[in-house]
Amino acid sequence: MGNKQTIFTPEQLDAYQDNPFRQRIAEVFSESGDGNMTLDDFLDMFSVLSEMAPRDLKAYYAFKIYDFNNDDYICKSDLEKTVNKLTRNELTPEEVSLACEKVIYEADLDNDGKLSLEDFQHMIIRAPDFLSTFHIRI
Amino acid sequence: MGECGLSTAGRTTRPRAVPELHVPHSRVGVSALCPCSQEPSPDNEGALHSSFCQLIEEQSSLVAGAIEMELQERNREQGEQHPGYATTLRILANMPSRTIGRSRGAIISQYYNRTARLRRRSSRPSLQQLNRTARPSLRQFDLESDPAHATLADKQSLLAKELLSLPPAQRSQVLMEVPLSLEEKRSLRQKRSTPGLRAHSAEPTFACAWWQDCIVLVSLFLALVHAAQPWHYALKQISGRFGSSVLSYFLFLKTLLLFNIISFLLLLVFVVALQAAYPPAVASPPPFTGLELLTGVGSFTHSLLYYGYYSNTTLNDPSASSPSGSTSPSRATQLPYNMPLAYMFTIGASFFATCILLMYSMYHSFLKSYRVGSSTGVLAIKIFSAWDFKVVQRHSVKLQSENICTQLKELLAEQRLRSCPLSLPQRLRHITVLLLAWLLALGTVLGCVVAVYYFSEHMHTVSTAPGEEGVLLALPLIVSLLNTLMPHFYNLLAAWEKQDSPAAEVYVAILVLGLLCYQWLSRRLICSCWETCVGQDLYRFVVMDFIFTLLDTGFGELLWRLILEKKLKSKRRPEFDIAQNVLELIYGQTLTWLGVLFAPLLPAVQVLKLLLLFYIKKTSLMQNCQSPSKPWQASHMSTVFITLLFFPSFLGAAIFVSYTIWWEKPSETCGPFRGLQTIYQTPKVWVELLEESNPNIAWFSWIPQYLVENTVFLFFLSGIVLAVIYFNIQVLRGQRRIICLLEEQIANEGEDKKFLIQKIHSIYDRKVHCA
């Protein structure tokens, strides 16, 4: 974080906490699933989000982060929540719905209407930027 | 804080309603289980196949409708659906492939299977041993030791055993990929299978303990180097505010710095330091005025900076009599040093090292960014990998959200457009705009090249008096001005034409440089020590490039921001143009590589320039700019930049230097190669000297004669290289085909699954009816 001071004002802290997926990240990596992390969970989180983590490991945890209802599938409602968080609800509902349908059409390989872990990993392999964006610098 | 929807469920899952499977009684049934049916039996293949096709069509049409229904029906009870439906879903949810993400046991058994597969890849079980009806994909598994029924502890020990049987490198890689928590990975790594095995493995380690100590020391050293990363905090600040795209520019700058430092160190150790220790006798240089830093003439002419200073004799030769007579004969190690040979081989070695490093960087970038496969799925990829987790500041996060929103809207509009193509007049208009833009671009390029040609001709005919050296700066000024203005012009063209090609800007620079190279080689008739003249020209170009970069940063960013803020009162700040900045770096690096032969200290100048540039650009970025709004694939563009650096830039410089070494006659009056026919004759002369002194090593001259200069051998080498490239292309093509086939297979498996579910439902119904 910063190396020039040790006490942060609330405004400064706020400036560091604006990732829309922060709650999901905390839930995925916490042992009990409610967002409270032990030291090992914290280490796990930064190990996965570091530069050296292999692509499949990052894809696995990214899948869990985007799976909002924890049913091991990314269904259309999960996708809609993701798109709304990414764009801060700026898109119209029709556009969001159209985008989610297109995503399922493009990525769903076994035609069950939702994305499983294998579909997600298969798609992420074709995303060269994934390794550099799913990365937090410490 | 309430914007992120907390999910109520913990780790347990509940099968959700999937209406696509909700189909009324199917027309296909299995006759064997209930005698009261009159439907086709499984033996009647033709009828079965056609009824299967009908079922698929039914399913597909229902799936399309069901997705809309699902939104409305989400909270309704499941009672109105098929009564066996909940059971089916429960069974589906417990399928091995679906439990992977859920429980540790499933993860461990999956990775056990994967490591077992790795081990058995070379030795497949023969087909006679296994049951004929087992599916081909299952035949590789060891069906006896199926871990599905084992307890968790057993599964863990099985996995540990499998990991031990792998080679260590593969073992650590597999462990890195397992999605378990860190303490479980630690326990897996520390597990040992049997004490007997441990005793057996202890002995070899004892023998090669010193080797392992060496490896530990080297890895510690590398870790220290990695930890003491220069500019680590600065790069983190930049990526936190501006994202990965702007970060890629600074990483590229760091890479270039590394290349230049390596070249500089090589030249320093083998050429510059030694010549500095034994300076030749020159007339007293003119006094130093500040203008030399810009023009490179005057007191810099006869200095270590240029080619002309270096001697063509063997330094510290004990048989030669030195004019000063200062070397004391009592010192022990006084080896003579062949300066011409050292000069030529050091330049060659620095080029070779740069080539190897460049190819290694290119290889790494390609690995990360190039994927064999189809190019569909753009929207899905954009949604899942667009969010840059490095960005932390609130304002930047807001900007990033807006960027993603814009990109998604553009993608959706594009897809809509693709579904309804342009009408004929619109297409014609589009084509004419493209053609016009191309013609304009080509015309400006040709115009620039012709203008530079005539101007440089004029400049070379003008002779400069000693006091008017500022005139020498005119040509570099014009070229740098063109290089700075052209990208802005191309940005305007790209905005008009709505297409993006950052590579077009580099062609202007490369063409101009090519023209100038031709001119330099023809200058030997004018200048007495032509290599020094060329070196001075290149030095001036490098300095001018730096000055113009500073001016561009000042005017383009600082002044523009002040204008926007004060005059136009808008909150927008100027954007950091990544493409233009990277291309400036590539241009500067090309100049350095061109000039290494003529001015051995030019890499040092470039190192200084890059260091200053980093801090200036970073300060300007933080104060004046905002992140770019165009979508920017960071890893793809890094590959493009490294490729541009290698392909026109480095190869062009290497070709120019090779041509100079092989064909050009060095000047008679200065430099380490005076008196020779070409620079390339130096090693030949040396080999002849060696043969004269010791006839036993006459075989040594065989190497250059039959290997390097023999055309047959070179044809043979290039034939091998072409064959390897062709082979790799064919392998890639085959892999692409396999990927297509496997994707079809996965789709078919999905259809199979739906079919089987339908069968189960119909059996259940028939049982209920017959019972």
Side-chain angles (χ1 to χ4, degrees):
Chain A
M1 298 280 216
N3 58 0
K4 297 208 169 54
Q5 57 189 80
T6 50
I7 301 177
F8 286 99
T9 63
E11 291 79 31
Q12 280 174 319
L13 273 179
D14 255 350
Y16 278 109
Q17 289 173 16
D18 224 14
N19 192 325
F21 298 106
R22 60 186 186 272
Q23 190 70 29
R24 276 305 296 165
I25 294 176
E27 280 169 19
V28 162
F29 285 102
S30 70
E31 191 73 41
S32 47
D34 61 354
N36 298 318
M37 289 194 275
T38 63
L39 176 66
D40 278 334
D41 297 333
F42 188 76
L43 288 175
D44 265 338
M45 176 173 82
F46 275 109
S47 143
V48 168
L49 285 166
S50 77
E51 221 167 3
M52 310 289 293
R55 179 186 296 265
D56 285 338
L57 190 64
K58 286 196 190 224
Y60 176 83
Y61 281 101
F63 179 78
K64 286 184 113 65
I65 289 174
Y66 292 128
D67 179 17
F68 282 82
N69 48 13
N70 282 328
D71 65 346
D72 298 327
Y73 291 103
I74 295 183
C75 56
K76 197 171 173 208
S77 65
D78 291 333
L79 275 174
E80 281 173 0
K81 280 202 204 118
T82 308
V83 172
N84 281 326
K85 276 193 194 285
L86 280 177
T87 60
R88 292 175 172 220
N89 300 316
E90 293 274 333
L91 291 178
T92 64
E94 295 86 29
E95 284 173 338
V96 170
S97 170
L98 181 65
C100 297
E101 278 168 26
K102 284 247 173 286
V103 167
I104 292 184
Y105 173 73
E106 282 169 357
D108 190 16
L109 287 177
D110 51 4
N111 287 329
D112 58 356
K114 339 181 243 196
L115 301 183
S116 65
L117 179 62
E118 285 78 26
D119 296 334
F120 187 77
Q121 275 179 335
H122 176 79
M123 181 198 45
I124 283 294
I125 283 177
R126 285 186 273 132
D129 282 331
F130 178 69
L131 278 178
S132 70
T133 54
F134 197 71
H135 165 223
I136 290 184
R137 265 183 118 92
I138 311 179
Chain B
M1 285 296 274
E3 56 158 288
C4 28
L6 281 171
S7 66
T8 51
R11 290 290 169 144
T12 59
T13 61
R14 289 174 56 233
R16 294 183 64 248
V18 181
E20 78 231 22
L21 297 172
H22 174 214
V23 169
H25 300 285
S26 71
R27 290 174 231 144
V28 183
V30 175
S31 62
L33 287 173
C34 186
C36 53
S37 81
Q38 283 149 16
E39 278 144 3
S41 73
D43 304 326
N44 187 355
E45 276 199 16
L48 204 61
H49 180 72
S50 56
S51 51
F52 182 37
C53 285
Q54 274 175 333
L55 186 64
I56 300 296
E57 275 170 37
E58 262 183 277
Q59 283 297 312
S60 328
S61 60
L62 278 164
V63 162
I67 287 183
E68 274 122 56
M69 273 168 54
E70 189 185 357
L71 278 174
Q72 298 151 22
E73 283 189 277
R74 202 177 295 167
N75 295 323
R76 256 188 248 169
E77 281 298 311
Q78 300 183 27
E80 60 194 53
Q81 295 172 1
H82 198 277
Y85 186 64
T87 330
T88 320
L89 278 184
R90 227 170 292 136
I91 293 174
L92 273 183
N94 284 322
M95 283 197 305
S97 63
R98 297 290 176 235
T99 56
I100 293 304
R102 220 180 298 156
S103 63
R104 275 173 57 232
I107 294 175
I108 290 176
S109 12
Q110 186 200 22
Y111 275 89
Y112 166 73
N113 289 335
R114 229 181 251 188
T115 48
R117 217 179 305 159
L118 275 174
R119 245 193 347 120
R120 289 195 196 98
R121 200 173 271 170
S122 52
S123 58
R124 278 210 199 141
S126 63
L127 290 175
Q128 283 87 25
Q129 289 175 2
L130 295 167
N131 196 352
R132 258 318 187 177
T133 58
R135 285 163 58 189
S137 53
L138 286 177
R139 282 181 199 156
Q140 293 180 44
F141 292 115
D142 193 357
L143 295 170
E144 289 95 37
S145 68
D146 178 26
H149 305 293
T151 62
L152 193 60
D154 291 341
K155 285 187 205 175
Q156 237 178 344
S157 56
L158 272 174
L159 179 62
K161 201 168 67 155
E162 279 300 326
L163 281 174
L164 267 180
S165 56
L166 290 173
Q170 225 172 16
R171 190 189 314 161
S172 55
Q173 183 141 17
V174 171
L175 260 183
M176 264 215 295
E177 288 183 3
V178 177
L180 293 170
S181 67
L182 276 180
E183 48 179 303
E184 295 200 22
K185 286 195 206 182
R186 228 177 274 150
S187 72
L188 276 172
R189 195 176 287 162
Q190 285 165 359
K191 261 196 173 85
R192 294 279 186 258
S193 55
T194 58
L197 200 60
R198 194 197 309 192
H200 178 70
S201 66
E203 281 179 17
T205 58
F206 211 69
C208 50
W210 68 270
W211 180 243
Q212 284 187 342
D213 279 339
C214 276
I215 291 180
V216 164
L217 274 174
V218 167
S219 54
L220 200 66
F221 174 67
L222 283 175
L224 271 175
V225 166
H226 189 75
Q229 271 177 26
W231 301 327
H232 178 72
Y233 182 62
L235 290 175
K236 185 175 162 248
Q237 249 187 323
I238 292 170
S239 69
R241 255 187 77 178
F242 297 97
S244 314
S245 49
V246 174
L247 186 68
S248 65
Y249 166 78
F250 287 92
L251 289 177
F252 187 69
L253 206 157
K254 223 170 113 168
T255 317
L256 283 182
L257 193 65
L258 177 73
F259 289 157
N260 283 305
I261 286 180
I262 289 179
S263 298
F264 172 57
L265 280 177
L266 274 173
L267 282 165
L268 182 73
V269 167
F270 289 105
V271 172
V272 175
L274 287 152
Q275 188 64 67
Y278 297 96
V282 287
S284 64
F288 176 76
T289 65
L291 202 58
E292 268 93 10
L293 284 174
L294 286 182
T295 59
V297 296
S299 63
F300 277 6
T301 314
H302 296 286
S303 67
L304 280 168
L305 187 54
Y306 298 117
Y307 171 102
Y309 188 76
Y310 293 84
S311 72
N312 68 331
T313 56
T314 308
L315 296 175
N316 198 24
D317 201 352
S319 58
S321 58
S322 54
S324 50
S326 59
T327 55
S328 58
S330 61
R331 296 181 80 141
T333 55
Q334 300 263 27
L335 292 174
Y337 193 77
N338 192 342
M339 184 45 110
L341 199 67
Y343 196 93
M344 188 186 133
F345 275 136
T346 313
I347 301 274
S350 76
F351 265 90
F352 187 68
T354 314
C355 185
I356 299 281
L357 279 174
L358 258 178
M359 292 178 82
Y360 182 72
S361 316
M362 262 171 58
Y363 168 72
H364 260 278
S365 303
F366 260 107
L367 263 189
K368 272 198 270 184
S369 78
Y370 183 75
R371 289 287 166 231
V372 176
S374 55
S375 57
T376 57
V378 179
L379 191 63
I381 291 174
K382 172 89 27 174
I383 286 182
F384 287 122
S385 63
W387 185 264
D388 193 355
F389 281 76
K390 289 203 262 285
V391 174
V392 284
Q393 283 208 349
R394 168 155 285 177
H395 182 65
S396 315
V397 164
K398 186 156 164 284
L399 270 175
Q400 195 177 30
S401 294
E402 283 170 12
N403 282 348
I404 293 179
C405 190
T406 319
Q407 289 167 36
L408 286 179
K409 284 199 180 147
E410 272 175 24
L411 269 176
L412 287 173
E414 207 182 308
Q415 305 231 350
R416 233 176 274 144
L417 203 66
R418 214 177 288 167
S419 49
C420 45
L422 289 172
S423 62
L424 190 60
Q426 278 177 328
R427 252 192 287 172
L428 273 177
R429 189 170 161 271
H430 186 65
I431 290 176
T432 33
V433 164
L434 264 177
L435 268 177
L436 266 177
W438 259 103
L439 281 173
L440 258 178
L442 234 83
T444 43
V445 165
L446 284 174
C448 289
V449 169
V450 165
V452 166
Y453 176 69
Y454 279 120
F455 191 74
S456 61
E457 289 282 306
H458 172 72
M459 285 308 299
H460 289 164
T461 52
V462 166
S463 62
T464 55
E468 289 177 11
E469 278 133 12
V471 178
L472 291 168
L473 288 173
L475 181 63
L477 204 125
I478 297 286
V479 174
S480 295
L481 194 69
L482 282 174
N483 272 330
T484 316
L485 291 180
M486 277 296 121
H488 292 294
F489 176 67
Y490 281 128
N491 279 342
L492 282 174
L493 264 186
W496 180 49
E497 177 199 15
K498 295 187 192 41
Q499 258 185 15
D500 223 6
S501 59
E505 298 161 11
V506 82
Y507 294 138
V508 176
I510 295 296
L511 277 176
V512 168
L513 278 180
L515 171 76
L516 286 170
C517 286
Y518 168 72
Q519 289 229 317
W520 281 321
L521 288 179
S522 60
R523 258 188 98 185
R524 43 206 310 279
L525 309 162
I526 305 173
C527 213
S528 67
C529 188
W530 65 273
E531 290 99 345
T532 307
C533 291
V534 174
Q536 285 170 343
D537 249 347
L538 278 164
Y539 175 82
R540 281 193 289 269
F541 271 89
V542 168
V543 169
M544 264 297 133
D545 181 50
F546 178 57
I547 292 176
F548 264 85
T549 312
L550 288 179
L551 283 176
D552 191 30
T553 311
F555 282 110
E557 294 172 12
L558 177 63
L559 210 65
W560 195 237
R561 171 183 76 103
L562 289 173
I563 289 176
L564 279 177
E565 250 178 63
K566 303 282 160 62
K567 284 282 165 71
L568 302 176
K569 300 263 190 262
S570 89
K571 285 242 175 214
R572 280 184 61 83
R573 288 172 153 204
E575 281 182 14
F576 187 75
D577 192 352
I578 302 172
Q580 186 191 352
N581 282 300
V582 168
L583 293 171
E584 270 181 31
L585 282 180
I586 293 180
Y587 170 70
Q589 190 59 41
T590 317
L591 289 173
T592 311
W593 280 330
L594 282 173
V596 157
L597 181 63
F598 307 109
L601 279 182
L602 208 56
V605 175
Q606 177 80 350
V607 163
L608 272 174
K609 179 178 144 197
L610 287 174
L611 281 173
L612 284 173
L613 209 60
F614 183 89
Y615 290 107
I616 292 170
K617 283 281 174 191
K618 178 180 164 258
T619 319
S620 161
L621 182 75
M622 290 299 193
Q623 303 285 336
N624 301 330
C625 296
Q626 69 175 29
S627 51
S629 60
K630 283 191 291 199
W632 187 267
Q633 291 178 310
S635 60
H636 175 63
M637 292 316 277
S638 310
T639 316
V640 168
F641 294 145
I642 284 271
T643 314
L644 278 177
L645 187 67
F646 183 71
F647 179 56
S649 169
F650 177 75
L651 276 187
I655 290 173
F656 175 68
V657 168
S658 316
Y659 176 79
T660 313
I661 289 183
W662 240 277
W663 270 287
E664 284 293 322
K665 188 166 173 0
S667 59
E668 303 282 338
T669 54
C670 62
F673 304 110
R674 56 195 109 157
L676 292 173
Q677 196 57 31
T678 63
I679 300 181
Y680 183 63
Q681 282 197 335
T682 315
K684 280 203 226 173
V685 164
W686 175 61
V687 163
E688 278 167 23
L689 265 176
L690 281 180
E691 269 185 45
E692 276 174 25
S693 60
N694 188 359
N696 287 339
I697 55 168
W699 57 269
F700 194 60
S701 64
W702 175 83
I703 298 175
Q705 202 183 350
Y706 287 107
L707 283 184
V708 179
E709 287 179 0
N710 196 1
T711 46
V712 174
F713 181 69
L714 287 174
F715 271 126
F716 184 63
L717 262 184
S718 29
I720 290 183
V721 165
L722 284 174
V724 165
I725 292 175
Y726 175 73
F727 177 72
N728 277 316
I729 290 177
Q730 292 301 330
V731 164
L732 269 181
R733 216 186 277 176
Q735 282 177 344
R736 233 178 251 144
R737 263 215 82 209
I738 289 184
I739 287 176
C740 283
L741 287 173
L742 287 174
E743 279 178 359
E744 273 178 37
Q745 211 173 334
I746 293 178
N748 285 338
E749 297 285 326
E751 310 282 351
D752 280 349
K753 191 182 85 184
K754 271 189 272 193
F755 177 71
L756 288 172
I757 289 167
Q758 278 312 301
K759 286 276 190 231
I760 292 175
H761 285 175
S762 60
I763 293 170
Y764 182 84
D765 287 339
R766 211 164 295 110
K767 264 200 176 160
V768 162
H769 280 203
C770 290

